[in-house]
Amino acid sequence: MRTHRIAVLPGDGIGEEVVREGLRVLDAVAEMEGFTVERTVYPHGADHYLETGETLPESVFEEMAGMEAILLGAIGDPRVETGFLERAIIWGVRQTFDLYVNLRPVKLYSEALCPLKNKGPEDVDLVVVRENTEDAYAGLGGIHRIGTPHEVAIAEMIYTRNGVERVIRYAFQYAAKRNKGGAPKVTLVDKANAIRAQDLWTRVFAEVASEFPTVETDHAYIDAACMWMVKNPEWFDVVVTPNLFGDILTDLGAMVQGGMGIAASGNIHPGRVSMFEPIHGSAPKYRGQNKASPIATIEAVRMMLEHIGESAGADRVGNAVRDALAGGRIKSLSAGAHATDEVGDIVLAYLQENAPTS
Ligand code: IPM
Ligand code: MG
């Protein structure tokens, strides 16, 4: 039997609850498709840090390096200094494993979930390819003369030719095989009119585009892209953008597809261990209350299945989520609209229902 080795890091806040539902779906799919998943669960996150002083130790990174994927719930806790655990764990994994693509689908399954007037599933179906290892996140900079009137705070936006080129090439390859219908299109989203360092993105985009004559290209500045994504989301197919803009644009995208309760992401380095997570945070106020939507984590499981080569299983999950949302069984993805485990039950029911009886 095929065996996949994955790491599970439920993390903080609602992480544990949503990951529990994601794993129920993973187990059901594994049984249907005839593979097994060997899971190592890691306790790291805020509680573990407060007890032991440890974030994510070197030994865990070494173990993860030998696995196919990591499923992460959420990281972040108000008891710990802002950004400390996020940097050590989320950014730590992204950097250590050089997960240069942050793949974030924005897909609407039911008009009822969309806050935009007169937009339906046919209008909202795009994928953001967010660069995931550079930009203002790289950590170059600091704070000097802290607390004085002469304080200086610097965060450099770093782009390397290699870093820009590989993520743009991934976006074109993805668009070429995505098959949304009509000619595939990649839109570059940047702010090269104000941030001239992003001229590197403009030039590399044109170079890589010339390798893909069947893929159309488009461009929007980030401010305008936010506007168009609300007004005309149907214009977008694949969007490629630097790290920080991708972070912002995908929260906007999450709302357009129904809320943070559905938006998932893959931190990917093709062919290497990669990390899959809901894009929402740890929402500490909902911890342990069985209120958070697990759909985003279930969608992260779908993306993980795709990454580990279980496409048929990934399709099963995608179809079950689609049916649960389009069929109206799940009315809202907001916290408290349904119980966390109730949503898991509904998705599992659709999984079984859709399964061929042989
Ligand atoms: C995300 C998150 C993270 C990011 C935070 C938690 C560091 O917002 O994955 O979108 O900005 O990348
Ligand atoms: Mg974010």
Side-chain angles (χ1 to χ4, degrees), residues 228-275:
W228 297 129
M229 202 168 280
V230 170
K231 188 164 184 296
N232 297 103
E234 65 279 6
W235 286 356
F236 296 99
D237 178 1
V238 173
V239 171
V240 66
T241 190
N243 204 342
L244 182 58
F245 298 158
D247 177 48
I248 298 165
L249 195 60
T250 52
D251 269 25
L252 195 159
M255 281 301 148
V256 169
Q257 69 177 141
M260 297 307 279
I262 184 172
S265 70
N267 301 263
I268 297 171
H269 188 127
R272 295 204 199 157
V273 61
S274 295
M275 178 169 75

Coordinates of all heavy atoms in Angstrom, one line a residue, residues 228-275:
W228 N -10.0 46.1 -8.8 CA -10.6 45.2 -9.8 C -11.0 43.9 -9.2 O -12.0 43.3 -9.7 CB -9.5 45.0 -10.9 CG -9.1 46.2 -11.7 CD1 -7.8 46.6 -12.0 CD2 -10.0 47.2 -12.3 NE1 -7.8 47.7 -12.7 CE2 -9.1 48.1 -12.9 CE3 -11.4 47.3 -12.4 CZ2 -9.6 49.2 -13.6 CZ3 -11.9 48.4 -13.1 CH2 -11.0 49.4 -13.7
M229 N -10.4 43.5 -8.2 CA -10.8 42.2 -7.6 C -12.1 42.3 -7.0 O -12.9 41.3 -6.9 CB -9.7 41.7 -6.7 CG -9.9 40.2 -6.5 SD -8.5 39.4 -5.6 CE -7.3 39.3 -6.9
V230 N -12.5 43.5 -6.6 CA -13.9 43.7 -6.0 C -14.8 43.9 -7.2 O -15.9 43.4 -7.2 CB -13.9 44.9 -5.0 CG1 -15.3 45.3 -4.7 CG2 -13.0 44.5 -3.8
K231 N -14.4 44.7 -8.1 CA -15.4 45.2 -9.2 C -15.5 44.1 -10.3 O -16.6 43.8 -10.7 CB -14.9 46.5 -9.8 CG -15.9 47.0 -10.8 CD -15.6 48.5 -11.1 CE -16.7 49.1 -12.0 NZ -16.8 48.5 -13.3
N232 N -14.4 43.5 -10.7 CA -14.4 42.6 -11.8 C -13.5 41.4 -11.5 O -12.5 41.1 -12.3 CB -13.9 43.2 -13.1 CG -14.9 44.3 -13.6 OD1 -14.5 45.5 -13.4 ND2 -16.0 44.0 -14.1
P233 N -13.8 40.6 -10.6 CA -13.0 39.4 -10.2 C -12.8 38.5 -11.4 O -11.8 37.7 -11.5 CB -13.7 38.8 -9.0 CG -15.1 39.3 -9.0 CD -15.0 40.6 -9.7
E234 N -13.8 38.5 -12.3 CA -13.8 37.6 -13.5 C -12.6 37.9 -14.4 O -12.3 37.0 -15.3 CB -15.1 37.6 -14.2 CG -15.5 38.9 -14.9 CD -16.1 39.9 -14.0 OE1 -16.1 39.7 -12.7 OE2 -16.5 41.0 -14.5
W235 N -12.0 39.0 -14.3 CA -10.8 39.3 -15.1 C -9.6 38.5 -14.8 O -8.7 38.4 -15.6 CB -10.5 40.8 -15.0 CG -11.4 41.7 -15.7 CD1 -12.5 41.4 -16.4 CD2 -11.4 43.2 -15.7 NE1 -13.2 42.5 -16.9 CE2 -12.5 43.6 -16.4 CE3 -10.6 44.1 -15.1 CZ2 -12.8 45.0 -16.6 CZ3 -10.9 45.5 -15.3 CH2 -12.0 45.9 -16.0
F236 N -9.6 37.9 -13.6 CA -8.3 37.3 -13.2 C -8.3 35.8 -13.4 O -9.4 35.1 -13.2 CB -8.1 37.6 -11.7 CG -7.8 39.0 -11.4 CD1 -8.9 39.8 -10.9 CD2 -6.6 39.6 -11.6 CE1 -8.6 41.2 -10.6 CE2 -6.3 40.9 -11.3 CZ -7.4 41.7 -10.8
D237 N -7.2 35.3 -13.7 CA -7.0 33.8 -13.9 C -5.9 33.4 -12.9 O -6.1 33.1 -11.7 CB -6.6 33.5 -15.3 CG -6.4 32.0 -15.6 OD1 -6.5 31.2 -14.6 OD2 -6.1 31.6 -16.7
V238 N -4.6 33.6 -13.3 CA -3.5 33.4 -12.3 C -2.9 34.8 -12.1 O -2.6 35.6 -13.0 CB -2.5 32.5 -12.9 CG1 -1.2 32.4 -12.0 CG2 -3.1 31.1 -13.0
V239 N -2.6 35.1 -10.8 CA -2.0 36.4 -10.5 C -0.7 36.1 -9.8 O -0.6 35.2 -9.0 CB -2.9 37.1 -9.4 CG1 -2.1 38.3 -8.8 CG2 -4.2 37.6 -10.0
V240 N 0.4 36.8 -10.3 CA 1.7 36.6 -9.6 C 2.1 37.9 -9.0 O 2.0 38.9 -9.6 CB 2.7 35.9 -10.6 CG1 3.1 36.9 -11.7 CG2 4.0 35.5 -9.8
T241 N 2.6 37.8 -7.8 CA 2.9 39.1 -7.0 C 3.9 38.9 -5.9 O 4.0 37.8 -5.4 CB 1.5 39.6 -6.5 OG1 1.7 41.0 -6.0 CG2 1.0 38.8 -5.4
P242 N 4.6 39.9 -5.5 CA 5.6 39.8 -4.4 C 4.9 39.5 -3.1 O 3.6 39.6 -3.0 CB 6.2 41.2 -4.3 CG 6.0 41.8 -5.7 CD 4.7 41.3 -6.2
N243 N 5.7 39.0 -2.2 CA 5.2 38.5 -0.9 C 4.2 39.4 -0.1 O 3.1 38.9 0.2 CB 6.5 38.3 0.0 CG 6.3 37.3 1.1 OD1 5.1 36.9 1.4 ND2 7.4 36.8 1.6
L244 N 4.5 40.6 0.1 CA 3.7 41.5 0.9 C 2.4 41.8 0.2 O 1.3 41.7 0.9 CB 4.4 42.8 1.3 CG 3.7 43.8 2.1 CD1 3.3 43.2 3.5 CD2 4.6 45.0 2.4
F245 N 2.4 42.1 -1.1 CA 1.2 42.4 -1.8 C 0.3 41.1 -1.8 O -0.9 41.2 -1.8 CB 1.4 42.9 -3.2 CG 2.2 44.2 -3.2 CD1 2.9 44.6 -4.3 CD2 2.2 45.1 -2.1 CE1 3.6 45.8 -4.4 CE2 2.9 46.3 -2.1 CZ 3.7 46.6 -3.3
G246 N 1.0 40.0 -2.0 CA 0.2 38.7 -2.0 C -0.5 38.5 -0.7 O -1.6 37.9 -0.7
D247 N 0.2 38.8 0.4 CA -0.5 38.6 1.7 C -1.7 39.4 1.8 O -2.8 38.9 2.2 CB 0.5 39.1 2.8 CG -0.1 39.0 4.2 OD1 -0.7 37.9 4.5 OD2 0.0 40.0 4.9
I248 N -1.7 40.7 1.4 CA -2.8 41.6 1.5 C -3.9 41.2 0.5 O -5.1 41.1 0.9 CB -2.4 43.0 1.2 CG1 -1.3 43.4 2.3 CG2 -3.6 44.0 1.2 CD1 -0.5 44.7 2.0
L249 N -3.5 41.0 -0.7 CA -4.5 40.7 -1.8 C -5.3 39.4 -1.5 O -6.5 39.3 -1.9 CB -3.8 40.6 -3.1 CG -4.7 40.6 -4.4 CD1 -5.4 41.9 -4.5 CD2 -3.8 40.4 -5.6
T250 N -4.6 38.4 -0.8 CA -5.3 37.2 -0.6 C -6.3 37.2 0.6 O -7.2 36.4 0.7 CB -4.3 36.0 -0.4 OG1 -3.4 36.3 0.6 CG2 -3.6 35.7 -1.7
D251 N -6.2 38.2 1.5 CA -7.2 38.4 2.5 C -8.4 39.0 1.8 O -9.6 38.6 2.1 CB -6.8 39.3 3.6 CG -6.2 38.5 4.8 OD1 -5.7 37.3 4.5 OD2 -6.2 38.9 5.9
L252 N -8.2 39.9 0.9 CA -9.3 40.4 0.1 C -10.0 39.3 -0.7 O -11.2 39.2 -0.8 CB -8.8 41.5 -0.9 CG -9.8 42.5 -1.5 CD1 -9.1 43.7 -2.0 CD2 -10.5 41.8 -2.7
G253 N -9.1 38.5 -1.3 CA -9.6 37.3 -2.1 C -10.4 36.4 -1.2 O -11.5 35.9 -1.7
A254 N -10.0 36.2 0.0 CA -10.7 35.3 0.9 C -12.1 35.8 1.1 O -13.1 35.0 1.1 CB -10.0 35.2 2.2
M255 N -12.3 37.0 1.3 CA -13.6 37.6 1.5 C -14.5 37.4 0.3 O -15.7 37.1 0.4 CB -13.5 39.1 1.9 CG -13.2 39.3 3.3 SD -14.4 38.5 4.4 CE -13.4 38.1 5.8
V256 N -13.9 37.6 -0.9 CA -14.7 37.5 -2.1 C -15.2 36.0 -2.3 O -16.2 35.8 -2.9 CB -13.8 38.0 -3.3 CG1 -14.4 37.6 -4.6 CG2 -13.6 39.5 -3.2
Q257 N -14.4 35.1 -1.8 CA -14.8 33.7 -2.0 C -15.7 33.2 -0.8 O -16.0 32.0 -0.7 CB -13.6 32.8 -2.2 CG -12.7 32.6 -1.0 CD -11.6 31.6 -1.3 OE1 -10.5 31.8 -0.8 NE2 -11.8 30.5 -2.0
G258 N -15.9 34.0 0.2 CA -16.8 33.6 1.3 C -16.3 33.8 2.7 O -17.0 33.5 3.6
G259 N -15.0 34.2 2.8 CA -14.5 34.5 4.1 C -13.3 33.8 4.5 O -12.9 32.8 3.7
M260 N -12.7 34.1 5.6 CA -11.4 33.4 6.0 C -11.7 32.0 6.3 O -10.8 31.2 6.4 CB -10.8 34.1 7.2 CG -10.4 35.6 7.0 SD -9.3 35.8 5.6 CE -7.7 35.4 6.4
G261 N -12.9 31.6 6.5 CA -13.3 30.2 6.8 C -13.1 29.3 5.7 O -13.3 28.1 5.9
I262 N -12.8 29.8 4.5 CA -12.6 28.8 3.4 C -11.2 28.9 2.7 O -10.8 28.0 2.0 CB -13.7 29.1 2.3 CG1 -13.6 28.0 1.2 CG2 -13.7 30.5 1.7 CD1 -14.7 28.0 0.2
A263 N -10.5 30.0 2.9 CA -9.3 30.3 2.1 C -8.1 29.4 2.6 O -7.7 29.5 3.8 CB -8.9 31.7 2.2
A264 N -7.5 28.7 1.7 CA -6.4 27.8 2.0 C -5.2 28.2 1.2 O -5.3 28.9 0.2 CB -6.8 26.4 1.7
S265 N -4.0 27.6 1.7 CA -2.8 27.9 0.9 C -1.8 26.8 1.0 O -1.8 26.0 2.0 CB -2.2 29.2 1.4 OG -1.6 29.0 2.7
G266 N -1.0 26.7 -0.1 CA 0.1 25.8 -0.1 C 1.4 26.6 -0.1 O 1.6 27.4 -1.0
N267 N 2.3 26.3 0.8 CA 3.7 26.9 0.7 C 4.5 25.8 0.1 O 4.8 24.8 0.7 CB 4.2 27.1 2.1 CG 3.3 28.1 2.9 OD1 3.6 29.3 3.0 ND2 2.3 27.6 3.5
I268 N 4.9 26.1 -1.2 CA 5.3 25.0 -2.0 C 6.7 25.2 -2.6 O 7.1 26.3 -3.0 CB 4.3 24.8 -3.2 CG1 3.0 24.4 -2.6 CG2 4.8 23.7 -4.2 CD1 1.9 24.4 -3.7
H269 N 7.5 24.1 -2.6 CA 8.7 24.0 -3.4 C 8.5 22.7 -4.2 O 8.6 21.6 -3.5 CB 10.0 24.0 -2.6 CG 11.2 24.0 -3.4 ND1 12.2 25.0 -3.2 CD2 11.6 23.3 -4.5 CE1 13.2 24.8 -4.1 NE2 12.9 23.8 -4.9
P270 N 8.2 22.8 -5.5 CA 7.9 21.6 -6.2 C 8.9 20.5 -5.9 O 10.1 20.7 -6.0 CB 7.9 22.0 -7.7 CG 7.6 23.5 -7.6 CD 8.2 24.0 -6.3
G271 N 8.4 19.3 -5.6 CA 9.2 18.1 -5.4 C 9.9 18.0 -4.0 O 10.6 17.1 -3.7
R272 N 9.6 19.0 -3.2 CA 10.2 18.9 -1.8 C 9.1 19.0 -0.8 O 7.9 19.3 -1.1 CB 11.1 20.1 -1.6 CG 12.3 20.1 -2.5 CD 13.4 21.0 -1.8 NE 14.4 21.4 -2.8 CZ 15.2 22.4 -2.6 NH1 15.1 23.1 -1.5 NH2 16.1 22.7 -3.5
V273 N 9.4 18.7 0.5 CA 8.5 18.9 1.6 C 7.9 20.3 1.5 O 8.6 21.3 1.4 CB 9.1 18.5 2.9 CG1 10.2 19.5 3.3 CG2 8.0 18.5 4.0
S274 N 6.6 20.3 1.6 CA 5.9 21.6 1.5 C 4.8 21.7 2.5 O 4.4 20.7 3.1 CB 5.2 21.7 0.1 OG 6.2 21.8 -0.9
M275 N 4.4 22.9 2.8 CA 3.5 23.1 4.0 C 2.1 23.7 3.5 O 2.1 24.6 2.8 CB 4.1 24.1 5.0 CG 3.3 24.4 6.2 SD 4.2 25.3 7.5 CE 4.3 27.0 6.7

